[in-house]
Amino acid sequence: MDKRTIIAIVLIFIVYWLFNQFIWAPKNNQNQAATENVQQAEATAETVSPDSISIPGKPAGALAMDTSVEAELVTLENDKLALTFSTLGACITKAVVKDYPSMDRTKFVQLIPEEQRTLCFENIPIETSAGDIDIANMIYQVETTDNGITFFLADDDGNRLVEKVFRLSADYRLEVDFNVNIGQDIEHYNLAFESGLRDTEAYLKHKKNDYKIVTMIDNSIESIMLSKLMKEPRELNGNIDWAGVRTKYFGIAVIPDNLLHVNQLYATDRGESPGMSLHVDNSDHPWEIRHHYSVFVGPLIASMLEDEFGMGMENLAEIGWKWLQFLSKFFLWFLEMLHKFIPNYGIDIIIFAIVIKIVVYPLTHKTLESGQKMQKIQPKVKEIQQKYKGDPRTMNAEVQKLYKEHGVSPLGGCLPTLLQMPILFALYPALRYSIELRQANFFFWLNDLSAPDPYYVLPILMGVFMFVQQKMMSPQTQSSDSMDDQQKAAAQTQKMMLYVMPVMMVWIFAGLSSGLVLYWTIFNILSIGQMYIMGKRKKAAAQN
């Protein structure tokens, strides 16, 4: 039973990882050699023509523009963010998150891909005598104030036809006002986040699962992985409360005013990163636009998103299965509390493993105790199997009778171990996706607990200790001379699993975050210690 228990648990574990996380690495064609600083870069020259355009319905009759004006960059920043806008379309071209270093740890994280732009209002053509002009490709005039930036298009008389106002509030929240009055009906427009997000981590093997479009639509969370978008785009229809693009640790999300009718989301793969465009229905008030949005730009911290925005926004971060999220949140809270006193997440994880081992001690003790009892009666079980091998019904009845006489249950070793699986499944997202562990140093070569061990030392150690643990739990083998063919085959299978399973687990854990592998390694060491102490006590009791 002990060997079957081990096999069952390992198979459950393997199926979970393979189904949810273990995906072949996508090709990485994005060049990350030049990560961006907060400093403004030089703008690419852009010109717009014609010089003066007649607009029906406006008294001035002309859009005030100078074709010689090149696009400029303007930066809006606070203590957390530095957002750079281009006057071409009044879109964001850079989003620097100041609290988090880039992958080379020399600059700050920059979320917008090179030569791309996001948060663009599109598909609002201005009907002119020279043809339609899209406001997303116009050069805007700029006004800066103490608390924000205003981009606008005006006619010759100074009447503002299109106005975009951006204000940074506390932390990672951008407030956006979008106003349009061009004397023409506007039934709808698009709010585009089609640039996708820039790679911020060096290790991208699980990128196709980690990069997602996440939205709350019709009061339900919808999540679309990059792996699906690389096969075909997706179109979602319904009442969209918020929608976001995310990587493993960072994201951008838009929260429309609750009076707006955002009824469609088009999600697609843009340069190996998810991109999206929101369709906004303005048919109820087509003669003008007066819309407001809140935009989140920053790190994916579930507690912060929940406190700041609500509406299920914490789901933009990866917090595991819904029925285990409370446990994942508790584990994160506990680690953060430890970190306040011991500012090394490697040591915090070791202490955490010890605490968890103490908490589940009754379960593991029962498992090991049941295993020892099963080992003790194995010779008698073999005798019954040999005696009644031609009568399975009598054989099973006699085995159950033997179990009852010795107070052993076949589920005694299996059930307590299975009850520990929710702990592992809740801990997995807590350690793997926690931004606190990003670039967190432990010691020596382990300088990023969110990334796999580059030299595979921890996974190999974990495999060694797993082998030792299985060896200690293995029943004593009887002489092959006293075995029948079926027993010999079972013994050979057990021997093979003793060596194959640790190797398989090393292979799986080699691609997981070193923080998670550290936890599992320490937990295995503690289990070996527990088994050793129980064995010593058993021998002492037998001698007495």
Side-chain angles (χ1 to χ4, degrees), residues 330-482:
F330 173 76
F331 290 159
L332 277 177
W333 171 84
F334 188 77
L335 279 173
E336 290 171 5
M337 289 294 294
L338 280 177
H339 194 69
K340 292 179 180 179
F341 301 98
I342 306 173
N344 184 305
Y345 272 110
I347 298 176
D348 297 335
I349 290 173
I350 292 174
I351 296 174
F352 179 76
I354 295 172
V355 171
I356 293 296
K357 185 62 180 176
I358 294 172
V359 171
V360 301
Y361 175 81
L363 294 177
T364 55
H365 182 78
K366 187 175 179 61
T367 299
L368 296 174
E369 191 177 56
S370 177
Q372 289 179 346
K373 289 181 180 180
M374 290 293 291
Q375 288 183 32
K376 185 177 181 179
I377 66 172
Q378 277 303 304
K380 295 183 179 180
V381 173
K382 298 294 185 184
E383 290 178 5
I384 293 174
Q385 292 174 340
Q386 182 67 26
K387 183 177 180 180
Y388 298 103
K389 62 180 179 180
D391 187 357
R393 180 175 296 180
T394 303
M395 180 184 68
N396 289 333
E398 290 295 322
V399 169
Q400 292 299 323
K401 182 180 178 181
L402 180 66
Y403 286 162
K404 187 175 181 179
E405 289 175 356
H406 290 81
V408 175
S409 171
L411 295 177
C414 181
L415 185 58
T417 305
L418 288 176
L419 291 175
Q420 297 178 54
M421 296 308 291
I423 295 176
L424 183 62
F425 290 165
L427 188 61
Y428 174 75
L431 292 181
R432 185 174 186 270
Y433 292 100
S434 172
I435 197 169
E436 285 81 6
L437 267 66
R438 179 182 183 267
Q439 298 184 357
N441 290 288
F442 182 24
F443 65 86
F444 300 125
W445 74 98
L446 291 175
N447 57 9
D448 187 351
L449 289 172
S450 70
D453 185 337
Y455 302 111
Y456 308 111
V457 175
L458 268 182
I460 292 173
L461 283 176
M462 184 214 66
V464 170
F465 288 118
M466 181 179 178
F467 173 81
V468 173
Q469 184 179 3
Q470 287 189 218
K471 188 73 173 176
M472 294 175 70
M473 294 178 66
S474 298
Q476 295 180 353
T477 57
Q478 63 186 104
S479 173
S480 60
D481 296 336
S482 61

Side-chain angles (χ1 to χ4, degrees), residues 188-224:
H188 56 79
Y189 65 90
N190 288 348
L191 179 53
F193 293 80
E194 296 182 331
S195 67
L197 295 178
R198 191 172 186 166
D199 294 336
T200 61
E201 315 304 316
Y203 186 80
L204 298 172
K205 190 170 185 177
H206 302 289
K207 175 178 177 177
K208 291 193 293 185
N209 270 12
D210 293 337
Y211 285 43
K212 297 177 181 178
I213 298 287
V214 186
T215 181
M216 175 170 277
I217 181 169
D218 293 332
N219 296 317
S220 178
I221 298 296
E222 182 80 21
S223 178
I224 311 171

